[in-house]
Amino acid sequence: MRAGFLIICFCSVAAQSFAQIPVDSLKRELQHAEGTARVDVLNQLTYEYIGTDNKQALALNEEASALANRLNYTKGIGKAYIYRGVYEYLSGENPLGIDYLKKGLEWVSKANDREMKGYAYLQLGNSYMNLTQFDSSLANYDHAYEVLKDSTNPVNLSKLYKNLGTLYGLKSSYDLQVKYLNRSLAI
């Protein structure tokens, strides 16, 4: 029993250490980044901090948004809106989060950024699921699937399948829940 506890503790510490590596690398990169490259790093840092440090995520997001707008950097503006939307809905502000996600979706569509477009639809689906608006959630997940099915980003496709499984579990469609959870695990 004690050995199992120690393994769990070690794995938890190791996971936190590995998670810190991209943040440290991005922080070093940020020191020298300028222009649109700086916006990209700020947006990526926002993404990394969203689940762990709300205050830091918000500050980075505001800087990315301001700089992207000043540079008229369409892709950067879209990402900043999308990450702000995720920040808001994770903070319990679902309607505000949805507004930001929709604005971001418009901008990344203009920039022809398919990965972020799929991610935005995925996050919109999550937001609507949190509001128990299951039809809207499913419609956005369907849009996300159309974008992500041919994607080179298996992580977002796996998240989509996991969330579809959750949605079908909430709708008491257990056969579909198992189907999508198995797809998520297969990735």
Side-chain angles (χ1 to χ4, degrees):
M1 176 102 143
R2 182 170 161 81
F5 175 75
L6 290 175
I7 290 171
I8 291 170
C9 288
F10 173 76
C11 290
S12 176
V13 169
Q16 290 172 354
S17 297
F18 288 126
Q20 188 64 34
I21 291 171
V23 171
D24 291 342
S25 176
L26 288 166
K27 283 181 177 179
R28 282 192 300 278
E29 194 176 331
L30 184 62
Q31 293 173 352
H32 307 288
E34 296 179 12
T36 59
R38 183 172 182 83
V39 173
D40 291 339
V41 174
L42 287 165
N43 275 328
Q44 189 59 41
L45 275 166
T46 299
Y47 174 81
E48 297 293 335
Y49 276 111
I50 280 177
T52 59
D53 185 341
N54 283 344
K55 192 174 184 179
Q56 185 68 26
L58 185 57
L60 291 161
N61 179 259
E62 288 174 349
E63 184 179 347
S65 182
L67 181 57
N69 277 296
R70 204 167 42 249
L71 297 172
N72 198 27
Y73 178 35
T74 305
K75 183 176 177 178
I77 293 169
K79 280 186 176 185
Y81 273 129
I82 290 167
Y83 292 148
R84 180 62 180 262
V86 173
Y87 166 85
E88 294 295 345
Y89 98 71
L90 288 175
S91 299
E93 300 295 332
N94 284 309
L96 183 58
I98 288 169
D99 288 344
Y100 277 115
L101 288 165
K102 286 180 177 179
K103 287 178 187 175
L105 182 58
E106 288 177 30
W107 282 95
V108 296
S109 294
K110 287 179 195 175
N112 202 25
D113 185 342
R114 286 185 55 80
E115 287 296 322
M116 285 306 294
K117 187 175 179 180
Y119 181 76
Y121 279 125
L122 170 63
Q123 296 303 332
L124 278 165
N126 294 345
S127 295
Y128 284 116
M129 185 167 45
N130 286 342
L131 294 171
T132 65
Q133 296 179 13
F134 298 141
D135 291 341
S136 295
S137 179
L138 184 57
N140 280 283
Y141 285 155
D142 287 344
H143 288 307
Y145 178 74
E146 285 305 312
V147 174
L148 295 172
K149 68 181 178 184
D150 299 324
S151 171
T152 58
N153 187 337
V155 172
N156 282 338
L157 186 58
S158 177
K159 287 178 185 178
L160 174 61
Y161 286 146
K162 178 187 74 67
N163 291 334
L164 278 164
T166 301
L167 176 65
Y168 282 114
L170 293 171
K171 292 178 82 171
S172 299
S173 300
Y174 298 113
D175 291 342
L176 288 172
Q177 178 185 21
V178 170
K179 172 185 169 183
Y180 286 110
L181 290 176
N182 283 335
R183 283 186 181 182
S184 177
L185 291 171
I187 295 174

